[in-house]
Amino acid sequence: MPAVNFDTSRCGIVNDAAYDGLGRRLATASSDKVVRIWSADQGNVLAELKGHRSSVVTLSWASGRFASLLVSGGDDGQVVVWQEARAQDWQPAHQINVTGAANVVAFCPSEHGLMIAVAGSDDLGIITTLSRREASGGGAPGGNQPWQVRSFPAHQGGVSSLSWAPSKTAATMATGPAVGRAVAVAPCRLASCGADGVVSIWHCEVRAVEWRKQHELTADTFNGLPRDVAWRPNIGLPCSQVAACTDEGSVAVWVQDMDGQPWRLQSCWNVSGDARRLIGLEAAASWPCRSVTQALASLEKAQQVRGRRYPHSTSDSSVFASPSAPLG
């Protein structure tokens, strides 16, 4: 597949980038207050989404039946939900403001409905969720239903990152009589980390949008303040895996054999530099981790993006580090 160049030289600093669920479009969040939608095949700009008052630092595409939605967050706490009314015609559908910067925004799996989580950088370390019930009879995602906002303190000093649990369960691989006994959708859960040094697992009662903490993940060899947390994609196995990385280069992976069982540390190792970003690979038994020193080296020979740096993106040719033992 030939490399595609995205000329971001006029966009200011690109703080985040993400492909849509089909890999056909790339969205970028820039310091010039604009969200841009690019053609993944041609590298040209398809749309410019203007409405932020400050630098845009994070964004997320919705998936499934909500694929016409995109959410972006600014360093002033402004969060904008965008809807594609017609092809390449994006309009703001809803806005809220959180205290401090919106460090991370993320849509939950569409099987749980329409819900967005926002990681706040304020001292109370608040996670805010926006949810909207689907209108009866179809129509636009959420229809005219009101948005519900819920907030809960998660990490004293600020929330660094969050990651939704995949919605797939063992029912995906069940056959015969087991199909009728298997749970079709996994529980709605969220992993988060923050300035308090804690990695937490949260459970949501979707109908009431009520959150409670289920677990705190720890390890004696997991040193530093957590920078990122990621829930590994699941192809239908009953176990769950969560990884986190820190500013001192520690990377840890915890595993839960099945829902309701305790979490246990599976592996812990170190990478050089400040570990910033994790990616769970569905088809590979590894956890790529990007560190600052690795990223700086790779930026000299970036092949995918021409122009400014992508501080939070993984679309350049970064060198990844993974443990020597497979994670299974």
Side-chain angles (χ1 to χ4, degrees):
M1 184 176 182
V4 178
N5 291 322
F6 301 91
D7 187 0
T8 64
S9 57
R10 65 182 183 88
C11 303
I13 296 174
V14 177
N15 295 310
D16 199 7
Y19 285 99
D20 67 5
L22 298 176
R24 296 175 179 173
R25 295 179 294 182
L26 176 74
T28 57
S30 303
S31 62
D32 64 355
K33 312 176 189 177
V34 178
V35 175
R36 290 177 176 83
I37 311 296
W38 308 72
S39 167
D41 295 327
Q42 304 298 323
N44 58 300
V45 176
L46 300 174
E48 292 189 338
L49 285 54
K50 299 179 180 180
H52 277 279
R53 300 182 298 266
S54 185
S55 175
V56 191
V57 296
T58 180
L59 53 76
S60 172
W61 291 90
S63 61
R65 60 189 183 277
F66 305 117
S68 62
L69 298 176
L70 178 75
V71 63
S72 55
D75 64 4
D76 61 350
Q78 182 187 15
V79 177
V80 182
V81 182
W82 306 89
Q83 182 169 359
E84 189 177 24
R86 295 180 300 275
Q88 315 313 332
D89 179 16
W90 291 85
Q91 301 295 329
H94 188 66
Q95 298 186 43
I96 66 165
N97 289 280
V98 299
T99 306
N103 284 340
V104 178
V105 294
F107 280 97
C108 77
S110 60
E111 289 81 0
H112 297 307
L114 180 55
M115 190 184 307
I116 303 166
V118 183
S121 65
D122 62 300
D123 289 340
L124 295 177
I126 300 294
I127 291 178
T128 302
T129 61
L130 293 80
S131 60
R132 196 175 188 183
R133 297 188 184 280
E134 292 184 75
S136 59
N144 293 319
Q145 301 297 312
W147 289 86
Q148 293 182 321
V149 179
R150 296 284 189 273
S151 299
F152 57 94
H155 299 278
Q156 187 71 30
V159 185
S160 303
S161 185
L162 52 80
S163 176
W164 290 97
S167 58
K168 293 180 181 178
T169 70
T172 306
M173 304 179 69
T175 59
V179 175
R181 298 192 300 269
V183 178
V185 179
C188 183
R189 293 187 291 176
L190 189 69
S192 65
C193 63
D196 57 359
V198 176
V199 178
S200 301
I201 304 294
W202 307 86
H203 176 270
C204 179
E205 173 51 53
V206 176
R207 291 184 179 274
V209 197
E210 296 293 337
W211 292 89
R212 63 181 178 87
K213 184 185 290 188
Q214 280 189 321
H215 305 278
E216 287 189 358
L217 308 183
T218 60
D220 293 339
T221 54
F222 187 60
N223 302 313
L225 293 178
R227 289 283 198 180
D228 195 20
V229 63
W231 210 298
R232 186 179 179 184
N234 193 338
I235 60 172
L237 299 176
C239 66
S240 296
Q241 285 183 334
V242 168
C245 58
T246 74
D247 60 352
E248 294 184 13
S250 290
V251 183
V253 178
W254 295 268
V255 63
Q256 184 186 44
D257 292 329
M258 63 177 58
D259 185 40
Q261 296 296 312
W263 289 82
R264 55 183 172 81
L265 181 68
Q266 186 177 42
S267 183
C268 190
W269 71 98
N270 289 308
V271 297
S272 59
D274 180 354
R276 292 292 184 98
R277 198 68 179 257
L278 287 161
I279 317 164
L281 298 182
E282 187 168 349
S286 64
W287 275 98
C289 175
R290 181 183 180 188
S291 73
V292 170
T293 51
Q294 293 163 345
L296 290 176
S298 69
L299 283 169
E300 297 298 325
K301 53 181 180 180
Q303 298 174 344
Q304 299 297 321
V305 179
R306 183 179 70 234
R308 298 285 185 169
R309 181 184 304 176
Y310 277 43
H312 297 143
S313 170
T314 56
S315 58
D316 60 38
S317 55
S318 298
V319 179
F320 296 117
S322 59
S324 56
L327 300 181

